Amino acid sequence: MTGPDAAVSAAAAGADAVGLIFHEPSHRHLTLEQAAAIRGALPPMVDSVAVMVNPDADYVRAILDRVGPSMLQFHGEEPDEYCAGFGLPYLKTIRVSGQIDPASRERDYPRCHGILLDTFTPDKYGGSGLRFDWGRAAYSGTKPVFLAGGLDVDNVREALDTARPYGVDVSTSLETGGVKDPDKVLAFCRQVQALDNA
């Protein structure tokens, strides 16, 4: 999310959480002030997730102090001890490629609250809009698995049937001109809700 209106719209559509990106190469990167405004606009019971890539510890603490997210998401090569050291639940992103075994990597993060599987791309950390073999997500682990990577309103049924994830994480396909499109967000949420209630 890049603004309060988009975040509130997503919450109204049924999103359980919104991501706040703190990674400068991303076009979704937020300042602390922008993120705090989004966090402050969210209704009760909607989580705000601070998404970071190999962040400096002082930067993480500044995010905690100024923004107050409800959860952290680490998208880089951060070890479990580091991720768990900030006093908030955290999700660990594992970028899936042919050489990566998600079940094995999950064991490296015993204190995480969930694993997010996304597509490996050599030149960026997430946000590629590309999918991986979703069957790789259907492993027998101990943590809730969230699925990302190339999801859209047309393929989310296939993704849910194939991977059986705890949840889905979507961004790129719900944008028009680089910003969240409320109609696309609503259509996606309705599709997931319909499948969830089937």
Side-chain angles (χ1 to χ4, degrees):
M1 295 298 159
T2 54
D5 290 345
V8 170
S9 178
D16 297 306
V18 299
L20 307 173
I21 308 298
F22 298 97
H23 180 54
E24 287 192 9
S26 171
H27 73 271
R28 304 178 187 102
H29 171 72
L30 298 170
T31 66
L32 297 179
E33 292 74 19
Q34 290 170 324
I38 295 170
R39 170 71 177 86
L42 289 174
M45 308 303 288
V46 177
D47 285 323
S48 55
V49 183
V51 182
M52 299 161 287
V53 179
N54 300 319
D56 178 82
D58 288 340
Y59 186 41
V60 179
R61 286 189 282 268
I63 292 168
L64 298 181
D65 291 342
R66 301 276 295 279
V67 180
S70 45
M71 183 171 287
L72 305 176
Q73 179 178 319
F74 292 97
H75 223 289
E77 290 74 41
E78 310 89 349
D80 178 65
E81 181 178 3
Y82 181 84
C83 298
F86 298 99
L88 275 186
Y90 86 89
L91 301 176
K92 183 66 185 83
T93 298
I94 296 173
R95 300 187 298 147
V96 179
S97 69
Q99 292 76 40
I100 297 295
D101 174 25
S104 175
R105 289 299 313 280
E106 178 185 301
R107 291 191 289 271
D108 293 335
Y109 295 92
R111 288 174 282 190
C112 77
H113 283 67
I115 295 292
L116 188 143
L117 300 179
D118 199 358
T119 306
F120 176 86
T121 52
D123 57 339
K124 63 193 307 185
Y125 289 88
S128 68
L130 302 174
R131 62 186 282 181
F132 63 95
D133 175 5
W134 291 328
R136 303 280 306 280
Y139 67 92
S140 179
T142 61
K143 306 290 184 179
V145 172
F146 297 82
L147 185 66
L151 295 170
D152 60 39
V153 70
D154 295 319
N155 67 23
V156 68
R157 175 186 289 274
E158 177 192 354
L160 293 174
D161 287 345
T162 301
R164 300 288 179 185
Y166 182 85
V168 291
D169 181 308
V170 62
S171 190
T172 304
S173 72
L174 304 186
E175 294 180 342
T176 299
V179 297
K180 293 296 175 290
D181 183 318
D183 292 333
K184 291 181 179 180
V185 171
L186 180 61
F188 185 88
C189 288
R190 283 182 173 170
Q191 177 76 318
V192 173
Q193 291 158 358
L195 297 170
D196 198 37
N197 294 328

